[in-house]
Amino acid sequence: MRKTKSIAEIGVYPPPAGGISVHVERLCDTLEQKQIPFIIYDGNGENGEKKRAVVPIPEIEKWAWKYLWQKNEDIIHNHFLRWQIRFTLSLLKLKGKKIVHTVHSLRNDGTQLGLAQKVMVFLTGLLSDHFVAVSEEVKEKLLELRIPERKISVIPAFIPPTTDLESDIKKIPDYVLKTFTKYPQVIVANGGVGNLYNGEELYGLDLCIDMFTKLARENKKLAFVYCITHIGEQALLEQYTERIAAHGLEERFLLVQEKIPFYPLIQKATLFVRPTASDGDAISLREAIYLGTPAIASDVVKRPNGVITFVNRDADDFTKTCREVLYAPPTDLLQYRQEQERYVEQLLDILL
């Protein structure tokens, strides 16, 4: 009988929840359903209670070199962003392992690489079996780094949620759920606070507050829930809280700091917004499309089919676009759902 190959999922696993860690979690849910053996090597270490067993790896570089000399899984699926880690793990090809890297972002890669770095990237491309780029932009950057095109596939990182919706709703505080009961229209967003990009709020909480302040005067049945994923600067969070209170909107604009499942809120929402100043292929946008919730995002990168865009960092255009969608939401989102469902099968075809 042919032995089922095992997979090493090397990256991060929630908590904390983020784009990459949620992708890894949902991929593992799918592998488990299909009875494909896997082990999770978790760069988040001992951070919080995990849904399933993981091998914590707090010192990633040291662990990667040690892993070369250990007994390994048959398929190495790496999610870490640094080329040093990609190169080290690609050396496992010399032991006959299959090496696949999902490249979630190349935002932090400099265009000018030193000679040693260029050699390292070249060898990584030579040894690795495949690179999964989460967007066309990432693919173009890989090609610029001379990764062979035949080894690159573009597959967005979105995987539909496989957990039980009712059990996840129970993890959401009552004060958040009551907002959806009290107000017929609720806008939701998530992201950090106080993370600056070119001097601007990266996740656009300031734009959300400005937009909501205007629309709240027009529509008394409107509320906003912003789930904070992390805080870069506490002083900025305090300023935003004061700004909301100054307009008397503290009961209608919630800043949620508890770590809760976010997709049930997207499903309940009237509108999901992502006004980021820089971005990759945001899983939350694809989640909204999959769940049938209208989504608005900045035009800072190419967005998925079905997402409505506004001019990046243009507060007036953001407000105008939100107003239009709230009054006349799109009715054709179902056509994009099947597109989102195909991605995980495409990924499994490459891995297996």
Side-chain angles (χ1 to χ4, degrees):
M1 184 175 177
R2 187 177 178 183
K3 174 180 173 287
T4 302
K5 292 185 177 181
S6 60
I7 301 177
E9 287 296 332
I10 301 173
V12 287
Y13 190 89
I20 297 176
S21 65
V22 169
H23 169 79
V24 172
E25 179 183 36
R26 292 183 181 178
L27 176 56
C28 291
D29 289 341
T30 304
L31 294 174
E32 197 168 76
Q33 289 174 356
K34 293 180 178 293
Q35 298 184 318
I36 299 169
F38 62 90
I39 293 179
I40 304 163
Y41 295 93
D42 180 18
N44 282 334
E46 304 287 354
N47 197 333
E49 184 178 345
K50 308 289 181 178
K51 186 172 80 173
R52 50 170 57 95
V54 303
V55 178
I57 47 172
E59 296 184 79
I60 299 163
E61 284 85 359
K62 288 183 180 179
W63 170 85
W65 284 107
K66 290 179 181 178
Y67 183 65
L68 293 178
W69 305 101
Q70 298 172 2
K71 182 180 179 181
N72 316 114
E73 288 66 44
D74 304 293
I75 301 162
I76 310 302
H77 186 199
N78 169 52
H79 301 268
F80 283 121
L81 302 178
R82 294 196 289 275
W83 280 106
Q84 177 64 54
I85 304 300
R86 293 183 184 125
F87 168 68
T88 305
L89 294 174
S90 71
L91 293 173
L92 287 166
K93 186 66 179 177
L94 303 176
K95 294 174 68 175
K97 307 302 178 182
K98 184 174 184 178
I99 314 298
V100 178
H101 306 279
T102 289
V103 185
H104 295 269
S105 172
L106 281 177
R107 180 166 49 195
N108 297 325
D109 277 25
T111 54
Q112 300 297 322
L113 296 176
L115 179 59
Q117 291 172 308
K118 288 180 179 178
V119 171
M120 181 175 64
V121 172
F122 171 77
L123 291 174
T124 303
L126 187 68
L127 290 166
S128 301
D129 290 276
H130 214 82
F131 293 79
V132 177
V134 300
S135 67
E136 290 290 344
E137 288 81 4
V138 171
K139 177 183 177 179
E140 289 304 314
K141 290 180 180 179
L142 287 172
L143 291 173
E144 290 172 9
L145 292 168
R146 301 189 183 280
I147 301 298
E149 186 168 13
R150 70 181 185 280
K151 291 188 175 185
I152 305 172
S153 294
V154 177
I155 305 174
F158 174 72
I159 298 174
T162 55
T163 51
D164 179 52
L165 176 63
E166 291 304 316
S167 64
D168 281 339
I169 287 176
K170 291 177 182 177
K171 300 173 185 175
I172 299 171
D174 284 343
Y175 79 94
V176 176
L177 293 175
K178 285 178 180 177
T179 302
F180 289 88
T181 304
K182 185 175 181 180
Y183 296 96
Q185 290 188 309
V186 181
I187 304 171
V188 300
N190 70 331
V193 178
N195 303 92
L196 301 184
Y197 180 81
N198 291 336
E200 306 282 5
E201 185 70 50
L202 175 59
Y203 291 93
L205 175 56
D206 56 334
L207 290 176
C208 292
I209 295 171
D210 289 344
M211 173 271 292
F212 186 75
T213 300
K214 295 170 185 173
L215 296 188
R217 289 196 294 265
E218 304 171 11
N219 185 353
K220 302 300 182 184
K221 297 180 179 180
L222 183 65
F224 198 115
V225 176
Y226 187 95
C227 290
I228 299 172
T229 56
H230 56 281
I231 300 171
E233 190 174 333
Q234 184 67 33
L236 276 175
L237 174 59
E238 293 170 3
Q239 288 178 26
Y240 294 138
T241 303
E242 291 171 3
R243 190 190 303 181
I244 293 167
H247 291 282
L249 296 172
E250 56 266 47
E251 291 187 5
R252 294 173 63 188
F253 195 114
L254 303 186
L255 294 174
V256 180
Q257 296 192 48
E258 293 95 333
K259 303 306 179 188
I260 59 177
F262 187 57
Y263 79 90
L265 303 189
I266 296 179
Q267 188 170 47
K268 287 176 173 291
T270 310
L271 173 64
F272 170 73
V273 297
R274 188 169 175 87
T276 43
S278 177
D279 219 339
D281 186 68
I283 289 178
S284 54
L285 280 174
R286 294 188 179 276
E287 191 116 77
I289 296 167
Y290 175 79
L291 295 171
T293 300
I296 293 174
S298 59
D299 64 357
V300 70
V301 294
K302 187 178 184 300
R303 299 300 192 176
N305 294 333
V307 174
I308 301 161
T309 59
F310 71 95
V311 178
N312 183 37
R313 295 301 304 174
D314 187 324
D316 290 337
D317 193 42
F318 183 42
T319 301
K320 173 177 173 289
T321 306
C322 289
R323 181 186 291 112
E324 290 172 351
V325 173
L326 286 169
Y327 280 94
T331 57
D332 58 348
L333 291 177
L334 190 61
Q335 64 178 303
Y336 304 111
R337 182 183 175 103
Q338 289 182 333
E339 181 182 332
Q340 309 304 315
E341 290 174 331
R342 290 196 299 265
Y343 299 138
V344 67
E345 294 301 329
Q346 293 171 0
L347 177 58
L348 290 178
D349 286 344
I350 288 170
L351 287 175
L352 302 174

